Amino acid sequence: MELIPVNGLRSSRSFYASCLKNVLDFNFALLILLLLLPLLLLVAIAIWFDSSGPVLFRQKRVGKYGKEFTIYKFRTMYVDSPQEGVSPSTATDPRITRFGRILRKTSMDELPQLINILRGEMSFVGPRPEQKMIVEKVYSYYEKQRWLVKPGITGLWQISPDRNKPIHENLHHDFSYIQNLTFALDVKIVYKTIRVIVRSNTC
């Protein structure tokens, strides 16, 4: 799908944005997966014992240039919960399993998305990939400008106070990232993401 930019939005065409970012994403994702393999296996076993159902949660998301892909996460909800729609916003949501609360609080449920990075579908940093259902329901050409870059595990929206609000209602974070994409900005976002995770688990 060809994306038609609206309101003059353009993504960075620097060497980092067009080439180096992909190389770093792949190599770091592979390294982290290898280092965390024992932990990932333990998490998978814990999910299997905690509740019935598959270890991984799979869902159709929309990525760069509107291309659909399957996102992977550790399953944190009961299998009879709706698979699409509004995600849980509190730890007390009855759809979340006991172990799922731990995974969400520590953000460990996001780790399988390293597979999406290795497949070239996602990046460590970028706009959050939207659900296909929401794209079909509310996205116009204006919202589709988010697709100028690969979606990310974390990003400006994810570390902002707006992270508990719908993505499509807070597009200024993604648009700012797309226009100012640099290695320094990515490092800053990753650093702030780690701080947010640490604070949420120590407060």
Side-chain angles (χ1 to χ4, degrees):
M1 176 186 295
E2 181 180 1
L3 182 64
I4 303 176
V6 181
N7 298 332
L9 182 66
R10 294 291 188 277
S11 61
S12 171
R13 296 183 179 180
S14 67
F15 175 71
Y16 171 72
S18 61
C19 182
L20 186 57
K21 182 177 171 71
N22 293 331
V23 174
L24 292 177
D25 277 338
F26 181 88
N27 284 281
F28 275 112
L30 182 60
L31 177 62
I32 294 172
L33 270 176
L34 293 175
L35 292 175
L36 296 184
L37 186 57
L39 174 63
L40 298 177
L41 292 174
L42 289 174
V43 170
I45 293 171
I47 293 172
W48 186 75
F49 274 106
D50 183 53
S51 62
S52 61
V55 169
L56 292 180
F57 168 77
R58 299 173 175 85
Q59 188 181 65
K60 288 294 183 182
R61 296 291 178 96
V62 181
K64 189 175 182 180
Y65 299 142
K67 184 178 180 180
E68 293 179 16
F69 69 97
T70 300
I71 196 171
Y72 300 100
K73 294 185 178 184
F74 280 126
R75 181 175 59 82
T76 60
M77 296 191 292
Y78 294 102
V79 292
D80 57 353
S81 302
Q83 299 300 299
E84 296 183 328
V86 179
S87 299
S89 58
T90 65
T92 58
D93 192 302
R95 293 175 293 174
I96 305 176
T97 64
R98 290 171 300 176
F99 190 61
R101 292 187 176 91
I102 297 174
L103 292 177
R104 283 177 172 267
K105 184 173 178 58
T106 60
S107 296
M108 286 195 295
D109 60 314
E110 309 278 358
L111 289 176
Q113 289 171 57
L114 293 169
I115 298 173
N116 292 116
I117 294 179
L118 292 178
R119 289 163 59 96
E121 299 160 338
M122 291 182 65
S123 173
F124 278 102
V125 182
R128 189 67 182 154
E130 187 69 272
Q131 296 181 43
K132 178 183 176 182
M133 178 193 70
I134 295 177
V135 168
E136 293 173 344
K137 186 180 296 185
V138 304
Y139 269 46
S140 66
Y141 278 119
Y142 180 72
E143 285 83 9
K144 290 176 182 178
Q145 291 178 102
R146 300 177 69 247
W147 299 344
L148 284 168
V149 298
K150 285 183 183 180
I153 296 178
T154 187
L156 286 178
W157 172 79
Q158 292 92 315
I159 61 174
S160 75
D162 297 320
R163 61 183 175 273
N164 292 322
K165 301 175 184 178
I167 298 172
H168 59 275
E169 294 179 5
N170 296 276
L171 298 178
H172 56 287
H173 298 294
D174 291 338
F175 291 169
S176 176
Y177 175 76
I178 290 170
Q179 292 178 309
N180 299 285
L181 199 168
T182 62
F183 175 71
L185 179 58
D186 276 0
V187 171
K188 182 178 180 180
I189 292 172
V190 170
Y191 171 70
K192 287 191 173 183
T193 299
I194 295 173
R195 286 184 59 188
V196 168
I197 294 173
V198 171
R199 284 181 178 178
S200 66
N201 286 280
T202 55
C203 295

